[in-house]
Amino acid sequence: MKDQAVKIKICGLTRPEDCLAVNKARPDYAGFVFAASKRQITLEQARYLISLLDPTIQPVGVFVEENDQQVEKIAKETGLRVIQLHTRPIPGRISRLRQSLSQSAAMNPLPAIWQRLAVSLERPAKEALIEAQKTIIDFKSRAFKDDLPDYWLLDSCRKGKAGGTGESFDWSFFQDFCLENPVVLAGGLGLENISPALALLSPAIVDCSSGVETNGQKDPEKIALFCTAVRNFRRCGQLEKPVV
């Protein structure tokens, strides 16, 4: 396990009750989805929900098909602290976003940028790892230093879906990858598997959405349990049932 504490993101907030729940549980990040999905929210909804967040919790915007102008507009008008690009890596895009956002006083300091690396559930895990490694090598070969993301987000995917599968991928091939790269681990995380995920991969950040839901809605108790479980693992190296 790395010395620093693992940070926590709870993603897919859509209601004021969700913001109140994360304010109580105190994850490091709260995610808001602007891409087409069952958790999609509008710019107006995002403004309101983010205004309810405890200021110590950093709002993350999740984008798929949105173009740079749309991403910039939402980031500036809602005060996003992280931009999550949930599409294939495009050399030049991150540096362009950073350059454009740097011209806005509202974006000081600049938001961090996370770039998704898709791990296909329809291919053997070893092949998915090789594809992720090739993607990074190719990206770095064509990208400037300012074009590299702050974190690479590993998330499971299926054909025709950008993410949000609620399914975990085979982590066993990704140990070295997580040691060599700054990683946000997503994809099917929950109370039942967070302990082995942390023990095996030691990611910098864990990202949970459907794993803290009941009947498709964020569950305050599950959010609290998940956050406490991650923090307990940092202290004792194993998952303990937290008391809330």
Side-chain angles (χ1 to χ4, degrees):
M1 198 67 169
K2 296 174 183 178
D3 291 337
Q4 65 268 33
V6 178
K7 293 186 177 181
I8 305 162
K9 176 190 167 202
I10 302 298
C11 196
L13 278 60
T14 60
R15 307 173 300 161
E17 304 96 293
D18 302 340
C19 295
L20 296 178
V22 299
N23 285 349
K24 184 176 180 181
R26 296 294 181 90
D28 303 276
Y29 305 95
F32 301 90
V33 179
F34 296 97
S37 77
K38 63 183 180 182
R39 302 182 184 92
Q40 183 180 22
I41 60 172
T42 65
L43 173 58
E44 291 71 26
Q45 288 173 310
R47 281 199 201 100
Y48 175 59
L49 293 173
I50 291 172
S51 75
L52 299 178
L53 281 183
D54 184 289
T56 63
I57 301 172
Q58 299 187 56
V60 180
V62 180
F63 302 95
V64 179
E65 299 297 336
E66 295 75 17
N67 60 38
D68 289 359
Q69 291 71 32
Q70 292 171 312
V71 172
E72 292 166 17
K73 175 181 174 64
I74 292 171
K76 290 174 182 177
E77 294 193 19
T78 62
L80 293 179
R81 299 314 314 146
V82 178
I83 293 170
Q84 181 176 317
L85 301 176
H86 216 78
T87 184
R88 66 180 180 85
I90 302 173
R93 186 181 189 189
I94 292 176
S95 58
R96 288 195 302 270
L97 280 171
R98 284 177 173 147
Q99 177 61 31
S100 180
L101 291 169
S102 69
Q103 298 171 14
S104 171
M107 293 283 96
N108 185 23
L110 285 177
I113 297 181
W114 300 354
Q115 173 65 61
R116 182 203 68 163
L117 285 176
V119 180
S120 174
L121 296 171
E122 293 151 336
R123 303 175 63 180
K126 188 173 182 178
E127 289 184 13
L129 168 63
I130 292 171
E131 183 64 28
Q133 291 172 324
K134 284 182 177 178
T135 298
I136 288 185
I137 291 171
D138 180 62
F139 187 87
K140 287 182 176 179
S141 71
R142 294 188 288 160
F144 297 107
K145 181 179 179 181
D146 288 344
D147 203 36
L148 295 177
D150 295 279
Y151 289 93
W152 296 97
L153 184 139
L154 291 178
D155 191 15
S156 57
C157 72
R158 289 193 178 277
K159 188 174 181 180
K161 294 188 67 175
T165 65
E167 300 174 79
S168 59
F169 56 91
D170 184 349
W171 303 315
S172 61
F173 288 94
F174 287 82
Q175 288 176 288
D176 289 343
F177 183 92
C178 290
L179 288 174
E180 296 164 359
N181 299 281
V183 167
V184 180
L185 180 63
L189 293 177
L191 278 170
E192 74 286 350
N193 63 8
I194 189 60
S195 180
L198 292 173
L200 190 64
L201 298 183
S202 298
I205 304 169
V206 290
D207 185 344
C208 184
S209 183
S210 61
V212 289
E213 291 181 349
T214 298
N215 297 325
Q217 299 287 354
K218 290 294 180 288
D219 184 319
E221 182 178 10
K222 288 183 178 179
I223 290 173
L225 288 168
F226 183 84
C227 291
T228 306
V230 175
R231 294 174 184 133
N232 280 356
F233 189 96
R234 172 67 177 84
R235 289 194 297 270
C236 63
Q238 61 184 5
L239 183 61
E240 292 184 348
K241 187 175 181 179
V243 176
V244 293

